[in-house]
Amino acid sequence: YRSVVHRVMGSNDTKVLDKTTYLQLLHDKKIGGDKRTVTILHIETEQNTSVAKVVLKGQTRQFTTFLSLVKTAEGNWQLVGDMPQ
């Protein structure tokens, strides 16, 4: 899993967060903490790979993110990437 944060909230930077870093930011309450509704706008699937365009709306912020998923050998979908805008 990785999260690619590109030019978000006025920044011109691109940051790539691995799973460990992302979970640590959640633990430290530097990100997250807002209860959000999730609306799936579009899903595109090709065999064992899928991309979803999703809107997350909370009390303090609303944003669109693109989620990358892969289907495991057991048939379960696994989130492997997140690119919020």
Side-chain angles (χ1 to χ4, degrees):
Y1 171 84
R2 72 179 180 174
S3 181
V4 179
V5 183
H6 177 65
R7 298 180 66 179
V8 174
M9 295 174 22
S11 171
N12 286 323
D13 297 335
T14 301
K15 296 178 182 172
V16 179
L17 307 173
D18 62 18
K19 182 179 178 179
T20 303
T21 303
Y22 183 83
L23 291 175
Q24 187 63 51
L25 288 169
L26 283 172
H27 180 266
D28 295 343
K29 300 185 189 293
K30 293 182 179 179
I31 61 173
D34 191 6
K35 193 175 211 175
R36 297 184 176 117
T37 59
V38 177
T39 304
I40 300 170
L41 299 178
H42 179 76
I43 299 174
E44 179 104 15
T45 302
E46 183 67 34
Q47 294 183 11
N48 297 310
T49 305
S50 190
V51 177
K53 182 178 181 181
V54 178
V55 172
L56 293 100
K57 185 175 183 179
Q59 292 181 359
T60 60
R61 185 174 299 143
Q62 175 177 318
F63 61 96
T64 300
T65 192
F66 296 89
L67 304 175
S68 300
L69 302 102
V70 296
K71 189 184 280 187
T72 66
E74 295 80 21
N76 300 314
W77 287 98
Q78 180 179 353
L79 179 64
V80 294
D82 175 18
M83 193 168 10
Q85 292 296 305

mmCIF file of all heavy atoms in Angstrom, residues 13-65:
data_model
loop_
_atom_site.group_PDB
_atom_site.id
_atom_site.type_symbol
_atom_site.label_atom_id
_atom_site.label_comp_id
_atom_site.label_asym_id
_atom_site.label_seq_id
_atom_site.Cartn_x
_atom_site.Cartn_y
_atom_site.Cartn_z
ATOM 1 N N ASP A 13 4.130 20.138 -3.753
ATOM 2 C CA ASP A 13 4.924 18.923 -3.550
ATOM 3 C C ASP A 13 4.134 17.658 -3.854
ATOM 4 O O ASP A 13 2.909 17.651 -3.846
ATOM 5 C CB ASP A 13 5.405 18.836 -2.098
ATOM 6 C CG ASP A 13 6.336 19.973 -1.720
ATOM 7 O OD1 ASP A 13 6.977 20.546 -2.621
ATOM 8 O OD2 ASP A 13 6.393 20.298 -0.522
ATOM 9 N N THR A 14 4.893 16.603 -4.095
ATOM 10 C CA THR A 14 4.349 15.257 -4.197
ATOM 11 C C THR A 14 4.988 14.436 -3.099
ATOM 12 O O THR A 14 6.208 14.381 -2.994
ATOM 13 C CB THR A 14 4.664 14.619 -5.561
ATOM 14 O OG1 THR A 14 4.107 15.435 -6.585
ATOM 15 C CG2 THR A 14 4.107 13.210 -5.657
ATOM 16 N N LYS A 15 4.152 13.799 -2.258
ATOM 17 C CA LYS A 15 4.658 12.958 -1.187
ATOM 18 C C LYS A 15 4.142 11.548 -1.398
ATOM 19 O O LYS A 15 2.962 11.350 -1.693
ATOM 20 C CB LYS A 15 4.199 13.471 0.178
ATOM 21 C CG LYS A 15 4.753 14.835 0.516
ATOM 22 C CD LYS A 15 4.248 15.314 1.846
ATOM 23 C CE LYS A 15 4.799 16.711 2.105
ATOM 24 N NZ LYS A 15 4.228 17.324 3.264
ATOM 25 N N VAL A 16 5.027 10.572 -1.251
ATOM 26 C CA VAL A 16 4.649 9.170 -1.349
ATOM 27 C C VAL A 16 4.788 8.570 0.040
ATOM 28 O O VAL A 16 5.871 8.562 0.616
ATOM 29 C CB VAL A 16 5.535 8.421 -2.364
ATOM 30 C CG1 VAL A 16 5.132 6.950 -2.430
ATOM 31 C CG2 VAL A 16 5.433 9.069 -3.742
ATOM 32 N N LEU A 17 3.659 8.107 0.587
ATOM 33 C CA LEU A 17 3.645 7.546 1.933
ATOM 34 C C LEU A 17 3.465 6.040 1.845
ATOM 35 O O LEU A 17 2.493 5.564 1.250
ATOM 36 C CB LEU A 17 2.487 8.138 2.742
ATOM 37 C CG LEU A 17 2.390 9.658 2.798
ATOM 38 C CD1 LEU A 17 1.101 10.074 3.478
ATOM 39 C CD2 LEU A 17 3.584 10.235 3.512
ATOM 40 N N ASP A 18 4.385 5.296 2.453
ATOM 41 C CA ASP A 18 4.197 3.850 2.508
ATOM 42 C C ASP A 18 3.204 3.522 3.621
ATOM 43 O O ASP A 18 2.770 4.389 4.380
ATOM 44 C CB ASP A 18 5.524 3.115 2.696
ATOM 45 C CG ASP A 18 6.233 3.468 4.000
ATOM 46 O OD1 ASP A 18 5.593 4.007 4.930
ATOM 47 O OD2 ASP A 18 7.435 3.196 4.099
ATOM 48 N N LYS A 19 2.824 2.257 3.713
ATOM 49 C CA LYS A 19 1.803 1.839 4.678
ATOM 50 C C LYS A 19 2.212 2.169 6.110
ATOM 51 O O LYS A 19 1.410 2.679 6.892
ATOM 52 C CB LYS A 19 1.557 0.341 4.537
ATOM 53 C CG LYS A 19 0.485 -0.189 5.455
ATOM 54 C CD LYS A 19 0.273 -1.684 5.229
ATOM 55 C CE LYS A 19 -0.755 -2.255 6.158
ATOM 56 N NZ LYS A 19 -0.973 -3.693 5.931
ATOM 57 N N THR A 20 3.466 1.911 6.465
ATOM 58 C CA THR A 20 3.943 2.160 7.827
ATOM 59 C C THR A 20 3.839 3.639 8.185
ATOM 60 O O THR A 20 3.346 3.993 9.261
ATOM 61 C CB THR A 20 5.398 1.670 7.993
ATOM 62 O OG1 THR A 20 5.449 0.284 7.665
ATOM 63 C CG2 THR A 20 5.906 1.894 9.392
ATOM 64 N N THR A 21 4.276 4.506 7.282
ATOM 65 C CA THR A 21 4.209 5.952 7.518
ATOM 66 C C THR A 21 2.764 6.418 7.618
ATOM 67 O O THR A 21 2.416 7.206 8.505
ATOM 68 C CB THR A 21 4.933 6.712 6.392
ATOM 69 O OG1 THR A 21 6.287 6.246 6.319
ATOM 70 C CG2 THR A 21 4.913 8.209 6.624
ATOM 71 N N TYR A 22 1.918 5.929 6.729
ATOM 72 C CA TYR A 22 0.504 6.300 6.737
ATOM 73 C C TYR A 22 -0.159 5.913 8.062
ATOM 74 O O TYR A 22 -0.847 6.729 8.686
ATOM 75 C CB TYR A 22 -0.211 5.633 5.560
ATOM 76 C CG TYR A 22 -1.655 6.003 5.429
ATOM 77 C CD1 TYR A 22 -2.040 7.167 4.790
ATOM 78 C CD2 TYR A 22 -2.645 5.178 5.949
ATOM 79 C CE1 TYR A 22 -3.381 7.520 4.673
ATOM 80 C CE2 TYR A 22 -3.993 5.513 5.830
ATOM 81 C CZ TYR A 22 -4.347 6.681 5.196
ATOM 82 O OH TYR A 22 -5.664 7.022 5.083
ATOM 83 N N LEU A 23 0.067 4.680 8.509
ATOM 84 C CA LEU A 23 -0.515 4.220 9.774
ATOM 85 C C LEU A 23 0.027 5.004 10.968
ATOM 86 O O LEU A 23 -0.710 5.292 11.920
ATOM 87 C CB LEU A 23 -0.276 2.724 9.963
ATOM 88 C CG LEU A 23 -1.044 1.825 8.994
ATOM 89 C CD1 LEU A 23 -0.636 0.373 9.180
ATOM 90 C CD2 LEU A 23 -2.548 1.993 9.147
ATOM 91 N N GLN A 24 1.303 5.398 10.914
ATOM 92 C CA GLN A 24 1.875 6.194 12.001
ATOM 93 C C GLN A 24 1.232 7.577 12.054
ATOM 94 O O GLN A 24 0.943 8.095 13.140
ATOM 95 C CB GLN A 24 3.396 6.319 11.842
ATOM 96 C CG GLN A 24 4.077 6.977 13.015
ATOM 97 C CD GLN A 24 3.937 6.170 14.304
ATOM 98 O OE1 GLN A 24 4.212 4.982 14.322
ATOM 99 N NE2 GLN A 24 3.483 6.818 15.374
ATOM 100 N N LEU A 25 0.984 8.191 10.894
ATOM 101 C CA LEU A 25 0.310 9.491 10.851
ATOM 102 C C LEU A 25 -1.107 9.390 11.424
ATOM 103 O O LEU A 25 -1.553 10.289 12.143
ATOM 104 C CB LEU A 25 0.263 10.022 9.415
ATOM 105 C CG LEU A 25 1.589 10.499 8.834
ATOM 106 C CD1 LEU A 25 1.468 10.745 7.334
ATOM 107 C CD2 LEU A 25 2.077 11.740 9.547
ATOM 108 N N LEU A 26 -1.799 8.292 11.131
ATOM 109 C CA LEU A 26 -3.119 8.064 11.726
ATOM 110 C C LEU A 26 -3.013 7.917 13.239
ATOM 111 O O LEU A 26 -3.782 8.526 13.990
ATOM 112 C CB LEU A 26 -3.760 6.804 11.142
ATOM 113 C CG LEU A 26 -4.349 6.907 9.750
ATOM 114 C CD1 LEU A 26 -4.768 5.527 9.254
ATOM 115 C CD2 LEU A 26 -5.511 7.864 9.709
ATOM 116 N N HIS A 27 -2.051 7.120 13.682
ATOM 117 C CA HIS A 27 -1.847 6.882 15.125
ATOM 118 C C HIS A 27 -1.542 8.181 15.855
ATOM 119 O O HIS A 27 -2.043 8.421 16.955
ATOM 120 C CB HIS A 27 -0.715 5.872 15.326
ATOM 121 C CG HIS A 27 -0.444 5.571 16.760
ATOM 122 N ND1 HIS A 27 0.519 6.252 17.482
ATOM 123 C CD2 HIS A 27 -1.016 4.694 17.612
ATOM 124 C CE1 HIS A 27 0.528 5.797 18.717
ATOM 125 N NE2 HIS A 27 -0.391 4.844 18.823
ATOM 126 N N ASP A 28 -0.701 9.028 15.236
ATOM 127 C CA ASP A 28 -0.316 10.304 15.843
ATOM 128 C C ASP A 28 -1.388 11.383 15.682
ATOM 129 O O ASP A 28 -1.181 12.526 16.099
ATOM 130 C CB ASP A 28 0.997 10.799 15.228
ATOM 131 C CG ASP A 28 2.169 9.891 15.542
ATOM 132 O OD1 ASP A 28 2.067 9.074 16.481
ATOM 133 O OD2 ASP A 28 3.194 9.983 14.824
ATOM 134 N N LYS A 29 -2.504 11.039 15.045
ATOM 135 C CA LYS A 29 -3.633 11.943 14.818
ATOM 136 C C LYS A 29 -3.254 13.163 13.982
ATOM 137 O O LYS A 29 -3.830 14.239 14.112
ATOM 138 C CB LYS A 29 -4.288 12.359 16.129
ATOM 139 C CG LYS A 29 -4.822 11.174 16.924
ATOM 140 C CD LYS A 29 -5.575 11.624 18.146
ATOM 141 C CE LYS A 29 -5.932 10.493 19.054
ATOM 142 N NZ LYS A 29 -6.839 9.534 18.675
ATOM 143 N N LYS A 30 -2.264 12.984 13.092
ATOM 144 C CA LYS A 30 -1.887 14.054 12.169
ATOM 145 C C LYS A 30 -2.780 14.048 10.932
ATOM 146 O O LYS A 30 -2.879 15.046 10.235
ATOM 147 C CB LYS A 30 -0.420 13.916 11.777
ATOM 148 C CG LYS A 30 0.508 14.171 12.952
ATOM 149 C CD LYS A 30 1.956 14.091 12.560
ATOM 150 C CE LYS A 30 2.846 14.383 13.757
ATOM 151 N NZ LYS A 30 4.260 14.292 13.426
ATOM 152 N N ILE A 31 -3.386 12.898 10.660
ATOM 153 C CA ILE A 31 -4.381 12.778 9.593
ATOM 154 C C ILE A 31 -5.553 11.964 10.136
ATOM 155 O O ILE A 31 -5.437 11.285 11.163
ATOM 156 C CB ILE A 31 -3.811 12.113 8.315
ATOM 157 C CG1 ILE A 31 -3.336 10.686 8.610
ATOM 158 C CG2 ILE A 31 -2.698 12.958 7.711
ATOM 159 C CD1 ILE A 31 -2.930 9.908 7.369
ATOM 160 N N GLY A 32 -6.679 12.043 9.425
ATOM 161 C CA GLY A 32 -7.850 11.259 9.827
ATOM 162 C C GLY A 32 -8.567 11.875 11.007
ATOM 163 O O GLY A 32 -8.400 13.048 11.319
ATOM 164 N N GLY A 33 -9.390 11.062 11.647
ATOM 165 C CA GLY A 33 -10.104 11.506 12.837
ATOM 166 C C GLY A 33 -11.461 12.110 12.564
ATOM 167 O O GLY A 33 -12.230 12.365 13.482
ATOM 168 N N ASP A 34 -11.784 12.352 11.303
ATOM 169 C CA ASP A 34 -13.079 12.920 10.944
ATOM 170 C C ASP A 34 -13.966 11.794 10.428
ATOM 171 O O ASP A 34 -13.550 11.004 9.583
ATOM 172 C CB ASP A 34 -12.884 13.979 9.852
ATOM 173 C CG ASP A 34 -14.130 14.811 9.592
ATOM 174 O OD1 ASP A 34 -15.117 14.665 10.321
ATOM 175 O OD2 ASP A 34 -14.089 15.606 8.639
ATOM 176 N N LYS A 35 -15.179 11.691 10.931
ATOM 177 C CA LYS A 35 -16.124 10.694 10.435
ATOM 178 C C LYS A 35 -16.559 11.139 9.048
ATOM 179 O O LYS A 35 -16.989 12.287 8.866
ATOM 180 C CB LYS A 35 -17.310 10.594 11.385
ATOM 181 C CG LYS A 35 -18.170 9.412 11.157
ATOM 182 C CD LYS A 35 -19.239 9.330 12.228
ATOM 183 C CE LYS A 35 -19.583 7.894 12.494
ATOM 184 N NZ LYS A 35 -20.520 7.748 13.588
ATOM 185 N N ARG A 36 -16.458 10.236 8.054
ATOM 186 C CA ARG A 36 -16.743 10.608 6.673
ATOM 187 C C ARG A 36 -17.759 9.685 6.031
ATOM 188 O O ARG A 36 -17.802 8.504 6.331
ATOM 189 C CB ARG A 36 -15.449 10.567 5.842
ATOM 190 C CG ARG A 36 -14.413 11.555 6.312
ATOM 191 C CD ARG A 36 -13.197 11.529 5.396
ATOM 192 N NE ARG A 36 -12.259 12.545 5.822
ATOM 193 C CZ ARG A 36 -11.044 12.301 6.258
ATOM 194 N NH1 ARG A 36 -10.604 11.066 6.328
ATOM 195 N NH2 ARG A 36 -10.264 13.290 6.627
ATOM 196 N N THR A 37 -18.514 10.260 5.109
ATOM 197 C CA THR A 37 -19.339 9.428 4.247
ATOM 198 C C THR A 37 -18.529 9.165 2.977
ATOM 199 O O THR A 37 -17.736 10.008 2.552
ATOM 200 C CB THR A 37 -20.666 10.116 3.870
ATOM 201 O OG1 THR A 37 -20.383 11.340 3.194
ATOM 202 C CG2 THR A 37 -21.515 10.380 5.099
ATOM 203 N N VAL A 38 -18.729 7.999 2.405
ATOM 204 C CA VAL A 38 -17.986 7.590 1.214
ATOM 205 C C VAL A 38 -18.982 7.387 0.087
ATOM 206 O O VAL A 38 -19.953 6.643 0.224
ATOM 207 C CB VAL A 38 -17.200 6.288 1.481
ATOM 208 C CG1 VAL A 38 -16.488 5.830 0.222
ATOM 209 C CG2 VAL A 38 -16.219 6.478 2.627
ATOM 210 N N THR A 39 -18.729 8.063 -1.035
ATOM 211 C CA THR A 39 -19.557 7.905 -2.224
ATOM 212 C C THR A 39 -18.667 7.438 -3.365
ATOM 213 O O THR A 39 -17.711 8.132 -3.732
ATOM 214 C CB THR A 39 -20.243 9.233 -2.613
ATOM 215 O OG1 THR A 39 -20.993 9.715 -1.491
ATOM 216 C CG2 THR A 39 -21.153 9.058 -3.804
ATOM 217 N N ILE A 40 -18.979 6.266 -3.902
ATOM 218 C CA ILE A 40 -18.215 5.734 -5.039
ATOM 219 C C ILE A 40 -18.823 6.304 -6.311
ATOM 220 O O ILE A 40 -20.000 6.068 -6.610
ATOM 221 C CB ILE A 40 -18.236 4.201 -5.047
ATOM 222 C CG1 ILE A 40 -17.605 3.675 -3.755
ATOM 223 C CG2 ILE A 40 -17.512 3.670 -6.277
ATOM 224 C CD1 ILE A 40 -17.783 2.183 -3.548
ATOM 225 N N LEU A 41 -18.021 7.080 -7.051
ATOM 226 C CA LEU A 41 -18.515 7.714 -8.271
ATOM 227 C C LEU A 41 -18.349 6.824 -9.491
ATOM 228 O O LEU A 41 -19.174 6.850 -10.403
ATOM 229 C CB LEU A 41 -17.777 9.034 -8.511
ATOM 230 C CG LEU A 41 -17.927 10.105 -7.434
ATOM 231 C CD1 LEU A 41 -17.109 11.327 -7.802
ATOM 232 C CD2 LEU A 41 -19.385 10.473 -7.241
ATOM 233 N N HIS A 42 -17.255 6.050 -9.519
ATOM 234 C CA HIS A 42 -16.956 5.257 -10.710
ATOM 235 C C HIS A 42 -15.974 4.150 -10.347
ATOM 236 O O HIS A 42 -15.057 4.378 -9.561
ATOM 237 C CB HIS A 42 -16.337 6.163 -11.782
ATOM 238 C CG HIS A 42 -15.967 5.451 -13.034
ATOM 239 N ND1 HIS A 42 -16.885 5.055 -13.963
ATOM 240 C CD2 HIS A 42 -14.771 5.039 -13.498
ATOM 241 C CE1 HIS A 42 -16.265 4.444 -14.956
ATOM 242 N NE2 HIS A 42 -14.980 4.433 -14.686
ATOM 243 N N ILE A 43 -16.184 2.989 -10.926
ATOM 244 C CA ILE A 43 -15.240 1.880 -10.772
ATOM 245 C C ILE A 43 -14.919 1.343 -12.163
ATOM 246 O O ILE A 43 -15.827 1.097 -12.964
ATOM 247 C CB ILE A 43 -15.813 0.739 -9.911
ATOM 248 C CG1 ILE A 43 -16.130 1.226 -8.507
ATOM 249 C CG2 ILE A 43 -14.835 -0.440 -9.864
ATOM 250 C CD1 ILE A 43 -16.840 0.205 -7.642
ATOM 251 N N GLU A 44 -13.650 1.191 -12.440
ATOM 252 C CA GLU A 44 -13.182 0.602 -13.702
ATOM 253 C C GLU A 44 -12.388 -0.645 -13.347
ATOM 254 O O GLU A 44 -11.444 -0.580 -12.560
ATOM 255 C CB GLU A 44 -12.300 1.597 -14.448
ATOM 256 C CG GLU A 44 -11.759 1.085 -15.740
ATOM 257 C CD GLU A 44 -12.493 1.661 -16.939
ATOM 258 O OE1 GLU A 44 -13.224 2.648 -16.772
ATOM 259 O OE2 GLU A 44 -12.312 1.111 -18.022
ATOM 260 N N THR A 45 -12.786 -1.785 -13.919
ATOM 261 C CA THR A 45 -12.135 -3.053 -13.604
ATOM 262 C C THR A 45 -11.664 -3.726 -14.883
ATOM 263 O O THR A 45 -12.398 -3.768 -15.882
ATOM 264 C CB THR A 45 -13.098 -3.986 -12.853
ATOM 265 O OG1 THR A 45 -13.531 -3.323 -11.665
ATOM 266 C CG2 THR A 45 -12.434 -5.292 -12.474
ATOM 267 N N GLU A 46 -10.463 -4.246 -14.839
ATOM 268 C CA GLU A 46 -9.896 -5.037 -15.929
ATOM 269 C C GLU A 46 -9.277 -6.274 -15.310
ATOM 270 O O GLU A 46 -8.251 -6.178 -14.627
ATOM 271 C CB GLU A 46 -8.846 -4.230 -16.694
ATOM 272 C CG GLU A 46 -8.256 -4.930 -17.881
ATOM 273 C CD GLU A 46 -9.255 -5.147 -19.018
ATOM 274 O OE1 GLU A 46 -10.136 -4.291 -19.224
ATOM 275 O OE2 GLU A 46 -9.143 -6.183 -19.689
ATOM 276 N N GLN A 47 -9.924 -7.399 -15.462
ATOM 277 C CA GLN A 47 -9.506 -8.684 -14.905
ATOM 278 C C GLN A 47 -9.307 -8.582 -13.392
ATOM 279 O O GLN A 47 -10.272 -8.480 -12.665
ATOM 280 C CB GLN A 47 -8.279 -9.215 -15.637
ATOM 281 C CG GLN A 47 -8.565 -9.558 -17.079
ATOM 282 C CD GLN A 47 -7.397 -10.147 -17.790
ATOM 283 O OE1 GLN A 47 -6.387 -10.504 -17.197
ATOM 284 N NE2 GLN A 47 -7.524 -10.263 -19.096
ATOM 285 N N ASN A 48 -8.081 -8.568 -12.922
ATOM 286 C CA ASN A 48 -7.786 -8.605 -11.482
ATOM 287 C C ASN A 48 -7.315 -7.271 -10.918
ATOM 288 O O ASN A 48 -6.737 -7.211 -9.836
ATOM 289 C CB ASN A 48 -6.746 -9.684 -11.194
ATOM 290 C CG ASN A 48 -7.270 -11.051 -11.546
ATOM 291 O OD1 ASN A 48 -8.359 -11.424 -11.142
ATOM 292 N ND2 ASN A 48 -6.506 -11.803 -12.321
ATOM 293 N N THR A 49 -7.569 -6.194 -11.670
ATOM 294 C CA THR A 49 -7.144 -4.861 -11.251
ATOM 295 C C THR A 49 -8.336 -3.911 -11.370
ATOM 296 O O THR A 49 -9.115 -4.006 -12.309
ATOM 297 C CB THR A 49 -5.990 -4.351 -12.144
ATOM 298 O OG1 THR A 49 -4.930 -5.304 -12.126
ATOM 299 C CG2 THR A 49 -5.462 -3.017 -11.658
ATOM 300 N N SER A 50 -8.446 -3.006 -10.406
ATOM 301 C CA SER A 50 -9.565 -2.073 -10.422
ATOM 302 C C SER A 50 -9.123 -0.707 -9.917
ATOM 303 O O SER A 50 -8.211 -0.604 -9.098
ATOM 304 C CB SER A 50 -10.691 -2.628 -9.531
ATOM 305 O OG SER A 50 -11.852 -1.880 -9.700
ATOM 306 N N VAL A 51 -9.785 0.331 -10.434
ATOM 307 C CA VAL A 51 -9.564 1.703 -9.980
ATOM 308 C C VAL A 51 -10.929 2.299 -9.657
ATOM 309 O O VAL A 51 -11.875 2.152 -10.427
ATOM 310 C CB VAL A 51 -8.867 2.550 -11.058
ATOM 311 C CG1 VAL A 51 -8.698 3.987 -10.602
ATOM 312 C CG2 VAL A 51 -7.517 1.966 -11.425
ATOM 313 N N ALA A 52 -11.033 2.953 -8.509
ATOM 314 C CA ALA A 52 -12.290 3.574 -8.097
ATOM 315 C C ALA A 52 -12.080 5.061 -7.846
ATOM 316 O O ALA A 52 -11.083 5.456 -7.245
ATOM 317 C CB ALA A 52 -12.816 2.910 -6.826
ATOM 318 N N LYS A 53 -13.025 5.869 -8.316
ATOM 319 C CA LYS A 53 -13.049 7.293 -8.011
ATOM 320 C C LYS A 53 -14.066 7.474 -6.897
ATOM 321 O O LYS A 53 -15.239 7.104 -7.053
ATOM 322 C CB LYS A 53 -13.448 8.108 -9.238
ATOM 323 C CG LYS A 53 -13.445 9.598 -9.002
ATOM 324 C CD LYS A 53 -13.800 10.342 -10.287
ATOM 325 C CE LYS A 53 -13.784 11.838 -10.075
ATOM 326 N NZ LYS A 53 -14.153 12.544 -11.330
ATOM 327 N N VAL A 54 -13.613 8.019 -5.767
ATOM 328 C CA VAL A 54 -14.415 8.053 -4.555
ATOM 329 C C VAL A 54 -14.401 9.460 -3.956
ATOM 330 O O VAL A 54 -13.362 10.121 -3.943
ATOM 331 C CB VAL A 54 -13.839 7.044 -3.523
ATOM 332 C CG1 VAL A 54 -14.605 7.077 -2.228
ATOM 333 C CG2 VAL A 54 -13.809 5.636 -4.107
ATOM 334 N N VAL A 55 -15.549 9.907 -3.468
ATOM 335 C CA VAL A 55 -15.626 11.177 -2.740
ATOM 336 C C VAL A 55 -15.809 10.865 -1.263
ATOM 337 O O VAL A 55 -16.672 10.066 -0.890
ATOM 338 C CB VAL A 55 -16.793 12.059 -3.240
ATOM 339 C CG1 VAL A 55 -16.976 13.278 -2.351
ATOM 340 C CG2 VAL A 55 -16.563 12.484 -4.675
ATOM 341 N N LEU A 56 -14.972 11.469 -0.425
ATOM 342 C CA LEU A 56 -15.078 11.345 1.020
ATOM 343 C C LEU A 56 -15.489 12.702 1.572
ATOM 344 O O LEU A 56 -14.841 13.717 1.284
ATOM 345 C CB LEU A 56 -13.752 10.910 1.628
ATOM 346 C CG LEU A 56 -13.340 9.488 1.236
ATOM 347 C CD1 LEU A 56 -12.326 9.525 0.125
ATOM 348 C CD2 LEU A 56 -12.818 8.755 2.418
ATOM 349 N N LYS A 57 -16.582 12.724 2.335
ATOM 350 C CA LYS A 57 -17.095 13.983 2.859
ATOM 351 C C LYS A 57 -17.203 13.882 4.371
ATOM 352 O O LYS A 57 -17.879 13.014 4.908
ATOM 353 C CB LYS A 57 -18.465 14.284 2.256
ATOM 354 C CG LYS A 57 -19.018 15.629 2.647
ATOM 355 C CD LYS A 57 -20.310 15.905 1.919
ATOM 356 C CE LYS A 57 -20.807 17.293 2.263
ATOM 357 N NZ LYS A 57 -22.052 17.609 1.550
ATOM 358 N N GLY A 58 -16.494 14.791 5.044
ATOM 359 C CA GLY A 58 -16.531 14.852 6.496
ATOM 360 C C GLY A 58 -17.028 16.203 6.960
ATOM 361 O O GLY A 58 -17.469 17.029 6.168
ATOM 362 N N GLN A 59 -16.921 16.435 8.266
ATOM 363 C CA GLN A 59 -17.360 17.711 8.822
ATOM 364 C C GLN A 59 -16.410 18.846 8.458
ATOM 365 O O GLN A 59 -16.829 19.989 8.307
ATOM 366 C CB GLN A 59 -17.487 17.601 10.338
ATOM 367 C CG GLN A 59 -18.603 16.691 10.770
ATOM 368 C CD GLN A 59 -18.722 16.621 12.286
ATOM 369 O OE1 GLN A 59 -17.961 17.240 13.022
ATOM 370 N NE2 GLN A 59 -19.690 15.859 12.759
ATOM 371 N N THR A 60 -15.122 18.527 8.316
ATOM 372 C CA THR A 60 -14.142 19.586 8.079
ATOM 373 C C THR A 60 -13.620 19.629 6.647
ATOM 374 O O THR A 60 -13.073 20.646 6.234
ATOM 375 C CB THR A 60 -12.930 19.425 9.017
ATOM 376 O OG1 THR A 60 -12.311 18.166 8.774
ATOM 377 C CG2 THR A 60 -13.353 19.509 10.473
ATOM 378 N N ARG A 61 -13.801 18.548 5.885
ATOM 379 C CA ARG A 61 -13.204 18.517 4.554
ATOM 380 C C ARG A 61 -13.933 17.529 3.660
ATOM 381 O O ARG A 61 -14.411 16.501 4.103
ATOM 382 C CB ARG A 61 -11.728 18.112 4.675
ATOM 383 C CG ARG A 61 -10.971 18.147 3.387
ATOM 384 C CD ARG A 61 -9.489 17.884 3.598
ATOM 385 N NE ARG A 61 -8.941 18.922 4.465
ATOM 386 C CZ ARG A 61 -8.015 18.719 5.374
ATOM 387 N NH1 ARG A 61 -7.515 17.526 5.558
ATOM 388 N NH2 ARG A 61 -7.566 19.704 6.115
ATOM 389 N N GLN A 62 -13.962 17.864 2.372
ATOM 390 C CA GLN A 62 -14.457 16.946 1.355
ATOM 391 C C GLN A 62 -13.376 16.823 0.305
ATOM 392 O O GLN A 62 -12.783 17.823 -0.102
ATOM 393 C CB GLN A 62 -15.738 17.465 0.707
ATOM 394 C CG GLN A 62 -16.216 16.590 -0.429
ATOM 395 C CD GLN A 62 -17.522 17.065 -1.025
ATOM 396 O OE1 GLN A 62 -18.434 17.459 -0.321
ATOM 397 N NE2 GLN A 62 -17.617 17.008 -2.339
ATOM 398 N N PHE A 63 -13.097 15.595 -0.131
ATOM 399 C CA PHE A 63 -12.099 15.418 -1.172
ATOM 400 C C PHE A 63 -12.396 14.186 -2.009
ATOM 401 O O PHE A 63 -13.146 13.300 -1.608
ATOM 402 C CB PHE A 63 -10.678 15.371 -0.596
ATOM 403 C CG PHE A 63 -10.435 14.236 0.364
ATOM 404 C CD1 PHE A 63 -9.864 13.056 -0.072
ATOM 405 C CD2 PHE A 63 -10.746 14.365 1.704
ATOM 406 C CE1 PHE A 63 -9.626 12.023 0.810
ATOM 407 C CE2 PHE A 63 -10.514 13.342 2.594
ATOM 408 C CZ PHE A 63 -9.947 12.163 2.139
ATOM 409 N N THR A 64 -11.815 14.183 -3.189
ATOM 410 C CA THR A 64 -11.918 13.052 -4.106
ATOM 411 C C THR A 64 -10.611 12.286 -4.046
ATOM 412 O O THR A 64 -9.534 12.884 -3.939
ATOM 413 C CB THR A 64 -12.156 13.551 -5.540
ATOM 414 O OG1 THR A 64 -13.364 14.303 -5.561
ATOM 415 C CG2 THR A 64 -12.250 12.399 -6.525
ATOM 416 N N THR A 65 -10.704 10.966 -4.095
ATOM 417 C CA THR A 65 -9.510 10.146 -4.124
ATOM 418 C C THR A 65 -9.681 9.052 -5.167
ATOM 419 O O THR A 65 -10.805 8.678 -5.515
ATOM 420 C CB THR A 65 -9.179 9.549 -2.734
ATOM 421 O OG1 THR A 65 -7.873 8.988 -2.766
ATOM 422 C CG2 THR A 65 -10.187 8.509 -2.304
#
